[in-house]
Amino acid sequence: VVDQIDGTPAIRISGERWGGLITRERYADYHLVVEFRWGLATWGSRKDRTRDSGILLHCQGPDGNTAPDFNGPWMHSVEFQIIEGGTGDIILVGGYGEDGARVNPEITVHVSQDRDGEYYWDPEGDPRAFERGRVNWYGRDPDWEDALGFRGQEDVEKPVGQWNRLDAFVEGDTVTYLVNGVTVNKGFDSSLSSGKLLFQSEGAEIYFRRIELHPLP
């Protein structure tokens, strides 16, 4: 925790190592509020790549279960992606059970496809079930590049150095993602509906100055 960043204390995650902050308890049916902004440091294989982090919802199983030896950085979960140009993407993070079997989360999203065939959230699109990969937020730029500082034409996330607000509404098997007050993605019929929360460290410095969890009515 740093004493002051832009006038107030905040949690600084350096990003130098891959891992995360994990809650002790499991949660369901909540409204998660997070305020974040990027720092300047980037590391290792992502030194020149887009700044990357994320919040894993509904984390299940042993810590580190994204590797078969349970020494991975993540957990079986549904991710609220935080990445330059792609904040608000849904990523399905697979893991391993204690019996060694591979387990993948599933979720259904109303989607359309962009010119490259990638799926993005479209409230008027057809429902499609996913069990791996990602579903882009509605305005992700088709010309997105994994390059430091990338910004898309429709980005809702603010430029580097400014604070952003994320809201995740988790109600039963439904997740709804908002970025700076704009609904950017939504999925339902999720195979996961409760679990721990994990805030990632993934190659880029990031600050969190507000993390709140509110029960839904």
Side-chain angles (χ1 to χ4, degrees), residues 55 59 82 86 91 95 97-98 110 112 128 139 156 162 192 197 209:
I55 305 168
C59 292
I82 304 174
I91 297 181
E98 294 184 4
H110 286 275
S112 294
R128 180 182 176 89
V156 179
Q162 298 184 32
L192 304 178
L197 301 171
R209 71 177 180 188

Side-chain angles (χ1 to χ4, degrees), residues 30-202:
Y30 56 79
H31 172 201
L32 174 67
V33 181
V34 172
E35 290 183 357
F36 83 92
R37 84 160 175 84
W38 297 112
L40 298 178
T42 53
W43 307 92
S45 62
R46 299 209 60 80
K47 182 177 67 173
D48 299 318
R49 307 295 180 123
T50 46
R51 294 175 175 87
D52 192 3
S53 187
I55 305 168
L56 306 188
L57 312 177
H58 303 330
C59 292
Q60 301 278 332
D63 291 347
N65 68 54
T66 46
D69 63 356
F70 302 111
N71 197 33
W74 322 131
M75 299 174 71
H76 176 213
S77 58
V78 176
E79 180 172 355
F80 190 140
Q81 170 75 311
I82 304 174
I83 191 171
E84 291 179 299
T87 297
D89 293 350
I90 295 173
I91 297 181
L92 299 176
V93 183
Y96 292 86
E98 294 184 4
D99 60 357
R102 180 73 175 176
V103 286
N104 291 312
E106 299 177 8
I107 199 167
T108 300
V109 184
H110 286 275
V111 293
S112 294
Q113 289 179 278
D114 65 17
R115 64 152 197 256
D116 298 325
E118 294 186 1
Y119 290 100
Y120 64 91
W121 177 61
D122 177 0
E124 305 302 321
D126 295 326
R128 180 182 176 89
F130 294 85
E131 62 177 21
R132 61 177 57 87
R134 77 187 321 128
V135 180
N136 294 338
W137 71 280
Y138 76 82
R140 184 174 172 128
D141 198 318
D143 293 321
W144 183 88
E145 295 181 15
D146 194 7
L148 187 64
F150 180 88
R151 284 192 62 79
Q153 294 184 2
E154 295 188 48
D155 277 4
V156 179
E157 180 187 337
K158 297 177 183 178
V160 171
Q162 298 184 32
W163 290 95
N164 296 274
R165 172 172 168 149
L166 308 180
D167 293 84
F169 289 91
V170 176
E171 186 170 8
D173 62 8
T174 298
V175 295
T176 305
Y177 296 170
L178 282 73
V179 177
N180 293 319
V182 178
T183 302
V184 295
N185 219 332
K186 184 174 183 177
F188 57 98
D189 286 345
S190 171
S191 60
L192 304 178
S193 58
S194 67
K196 297 180 179 180
L197 301 171
L198 187 154
F199 296 80
Q200 290 181 313
S201 173
E202 195 176 0

